[in-house]
Amino acid sequence: MPKSEGELRQDIVEVGRLVYQKGWVAANDGNISIRLDDERILATPTRVSKGMMHADDLIIVDKCGSKLEGKRECTSEILMHCTIYNMRPDVNSVLHAHPPVATGFATAGRPLDLALLPEVVITLGYVPLAAYGLPGTPALTEPMLPYIPKYDAIMMGNHGVVSYGSDVYRAFFTMEIVEHFARIAFVAEMLGGPKVLPKVEVDKLLDSRARYGVERRNGATQECPVVAEDLVERGARAGMARAELIALIDEVLKARGIA
Ligand SMILES: [Zn+2]
């Protein structure tokens, strides 16, 4: 049985508390929404800590982001949520936060695009990085448009991360996977650089998605992260300078037409 609006309000309050406790937002940052039906979206308001919300703080907006109900003001990032719902009929919840390690990568201009961990390859493929856009304007969402149909999480340049899924807990767990992946990738970098999985292993992981209940989105081939062979082909070698390696990774993605 579908959840009632009251239950969905409680879900947002609960996920907001988790997001705050995990340190993925500071002060009043971040926003969470749930699609109620074809016409209405339940969303967190602006100027309230997502860790300290009450169910009646939430507002309801229409599918263009105009407020329909609620005493608090609408977040300026609601247009990003509306765009995602519009482009992804399978998505019923959107979560935006600033988890510090993944946001650090986004701020350094570094997508989480290497094939490093089996769970990440299976669930997300990889996490692309959309260029910076001014918050509260259409420029925020515009660089994300090519990625929305094919990925369930996007890093936002010099800003944060957005994740989405069939319900608010799915969106939350996807954000958790992104931040956990970023932490592991960061430690691997500190320890001399990650060892990237070869294509044959990545293909096996992508083929196993059905077994794990992960549905392929359109153009699933574009979710393939950068594999070891990609880098070898472009002359990567052990102990190579980080900046040079990052340039090679960029070339791989550009060659696939998705950077
Ligand atoms: Zn933000």
Side-chain angles (χ1 to χ4, degrees):
M1 202 172 71
K3 287 186 174 183
S4 68
E5 187 188 311
E7 288 169 318
L8 295 173
R9 283 177 183 263
Q10 282 306 331
D11 285 352
I12 289 185
V13 169
E14 168 69 13
V15 166
R17 197 176 294 130
L18 289 171
V19 164
Y20 187 70
Q21 282 168 354
K22 281 183 161 286
W24 295 348
V25 290
N28 299 339
D29 293 345
N31 30 78
I32 310 166
S33 71
I34 291 178
R35 194 203 302 260
L36 290 176
D37 52 43
D38 288 349
E39 304 297 324
R40 299 177 311 145
I41 296 162
L42 181 65
T44 54
T46 189
R47 292 195 288 278
V48 61
S49 165
K50 305 308 171 286
M52 305 170 194
M53 294 182 298
H54 299 285
D56 61 2
D57 286 328
L58 304 182
I59 58 165
I60 294 176
V61 300
D62 68 15
K63 58 187 175 186
C64 301
S66 302
K67 193 170 94 167
L68 299 172
E69 276 177 51
K71 56 186 189 305
R72 289 188 175 271
E73 290 307 306
C74 190
T75 165
S76 62
E77 280 162 355
I78 195 68
L79 284 179
M80 172 174 73
H81 294 239
C82 294
T83 303
I84 293 168
Y85 290 125
N86 198 17
M87 294 178 76
R88 289 282 300 267
D90 59 314
V91 165
N92 293 312
S93 183
V94 177
L95 165 61
H96 164 59
H98 307 157
V101 183
T103 303
F105 272 86
T107 304
R110 299 271 314 274
L112 289 161
D113 52 10
L114 298 177
L116 302 180
L117 297 173
E119 305 77 30
V120 177
V121 173
I122 291 170
T123 54
L124 299 177
Y126 75 94
V127 193
L129 170 64
Y132 174 79
L134 185 66
T137 73
L140 176 75
T141 312
E142 209 170 295
M144 296 164 52
L145 297 179
Y147 301 120
I148 292 171
K150 298 183 178 73
Y151 301 89
D152 288 343
I154 301 171
M155 299 158 76
M156 303 153 70
N158 294 78
H159 186 152
V161 178
V162 63
S163 62
Y164 33 93
S166 53
D167 64 50
V168 71
Y169 289 98
R170 196 66 261 157
F172 171 79
F173 289 133
T174 296
M175 184 74 73
E176 189 173 44
I177 292 168
V178 171
E179 180 64 357
H180 196 237
F181 182 32
R183 291 165 67 124
I184 291 169
F186 183 70
V187 172
E189 295 231 354
M190 293 298 101
L191 298 174
K195 295 204 183 327
V196 183
L197 288 171
K199 184 165 189 320
V200 59
E201 294 301 331
V202 171
D203 284 344
K204 282 184 213 166
L205 293 169
L206 293 175
D207 287 344
S208 73
R209 281 179 160 177
R211 225 172 46 234
Y212 290 99
V214 178
E215 280 171 32
R216 280 182 182 247
R217 291 167 291 274
N218 291 337
T221 49
Q222 294 199 352
E223 293 166 38
C224 183
V226 174
V227 297
E229 289 86 340
D230 289 329
L231 298 177
V232 171
E233 267 169 31
R234 284 174 170 75
R237 57 195 184 278
M240 140 181 243
R242 186 91 347 219
E244 236 182 304
L245 185 60
I246 290 166
L248 293 185
I249 294 168
D250 275 352
E251 270 182 47
V252 174
L253 293 177
K254 283 213 180 79
R256 289 191 198 155
I258 48 173

